[in-house]
Amino acid sequence: MNLSRPTRTTLILSLCLVVLAGMLGYQHHQLSQLSNSMAATADKESLDALLARLGKVDERLDTVDGKHLVSNEDFRSGQQALSNRIDAVQAYAKQATESAQELTRNAASSGELVVLKASVETLDSRIHELSQSQIKQPAAPSKPKAVARKPPPARKPSTSVVTPQAPPFTVVGIEYRGGERFLSVAPPGSTQLSQIYLIRPGDAVAGTAWRLNALDGKYARFDVSGTPQTVTVAQ
């Protein structure tokens, strides 16, 4: 197989591409070196600025160290003046405390004197009141003679006879339900079992004023408008 030979134009283009690639590589190398140098320069400038600031701080410290802000004599005189003021304040406080205690004692004595004076005045007023009451006390009046009174004649007890009334219902008998006694009643003249009903002590017969008070043996005791009535129950 026969390959075609490159033409002159192709060779020139290839050579140009190679030269261009070399130039790009060289430019990249130059840019890298420039970047590194700039970074080193920036770090050096920062370091120089820090060193300059530290130098200024050292100079200020040396200046302050060389000066005496307060002399020993001034310090001692100030300390003595402060001590004198403290002693004066303590003496004044002690004097004030003694004065307050003396005033308290005087006030207590005055209070006791006032209380004693009030007690004496109270006793004088009581003695005066007692003397006045003895002077104004009247003589005791003589007791009147007792008059014998006749006892009133004894009243004879009035006996009221209760008239028995016939109940307006029919008493059927006494029944036991659950251990309790009931009175069975029915309307008068009724012969139907459905009309018979039971009442217990305390219940009233329907439609009447008769209220059952108690069941005593074969007797049923009622209350009719305050009047007791007794009905005999057939056994």
Side-chain angles (χ1 to χ4, degrees):
M1 182 177 179
N2 295 326
L3 297 174
S4 60
R5 296 179 63 184
T7 61
R8 186 176 181 180
T9 304
T10 304
L11 291 175
I12 293 172
L13 289 174
S14 299
L15 182 61
C16 290
L17 289 174
V18 171
V19 173
L20 183 61
M23 292 178 64
L24 288 174
Y26 178 75
Q27 292 292 332
H28 180 70
H29 178 68
Q30 291 293 329
L31 288 174
S32 298
Q33 288 183 353
L34 181 61
S35 176
N36 293 331
S37 63
M38 289 179 66
T41 303
D43 293 339
K44 186 177 180 181
E45 290 179 356
S46 300
L47 183 60
D48 292 340
L50 290 175
L51 291 175
R53 290 183 180 180
L54 288 175
K56 291 181 180 180
V57 171
D58 290 337
E59 291 177 359
R60 291 180 181 178
L61 290 176
D62 293 339
T63 303
V64 172
D65 191 14
K67 294 181 179 180
H68 295 285
L69 298 178
V70 179
S71 62
N72 293 331
E73 295 180 357
D74 294 339
F75 177 75
R76 290 176 182 176
S77 60
Q79 186 178 10
Q80 185 64 32
L82 181 61
S83 178
N84 294 335
R85 289 184 180 180
I86 292 174
D87 293 339
V89 170
Q90 289 179 351
Y92 180 75
K94 184 177 180 181
Q95 184 179 1
T97 303
E98 293 177 354
S99 300
Q101 291 178 356
E102 186 176 358
L103 289 174
T104 303
R105 287 194 296 269
N106 294 335
S109 301
S110 301
E112 292 176 358
L113 183 61
V114 170
V115 172
L116 182 60
K117 186 177 180 181
S119 300
V120 172
E121 291 179 355
T122 303
L123 290 175
D124 290 339
S125 61
R126 289 183 179 179
I127 293 172
H128 182 69
E129 290 176 359
L130 289 175
S131 61
Q132 292 294 329
S133 62
Q134 289 179 359
I135 293 173
K136 294 181 180 180
Q137 185 176 5
S142 58
K143 296 182 179 180
K145 295 181 180 180
V147 179
R149 295 182 180 180
K150 295 181 180 180
R155 295 181 180 179
K156 295 181 180 180
S158 59
T159 57
S160 58
V161 179
V162 178
T163 303
Q165 299 180 11
F169 50 86
T170 302
V171 177
V172 179
I174 297 176
E175 297 184 11
Y176 290 87
R177 299 288 178 86
E180 188 176 0
R181 302 174 69 186
F182 291 87
L183 182 67
S184 57
V185 296
S190 175
T191 58
Q192 297 180 3
L193 294 176
S194 60
Q195 294 182 351
I196 298 174
Y197 58 94
L198 304 177
I199 61 173
R200 66 178 66 181
D203 295 341
V205 180
T208 66
W210 289 61
R211 182 179 298 276
L212 180 62
N213 286 338
L215 292 174
D216 186 8
K218 61 179 181 178
Y219 299 102
R221 304 188 185 279
F222 290 88
D223 179 76
V224 184
S225 301
T227 303
Q229 295 290 337
T230 303
V231 178
T232 303
V233 181
Q235 297 292 334

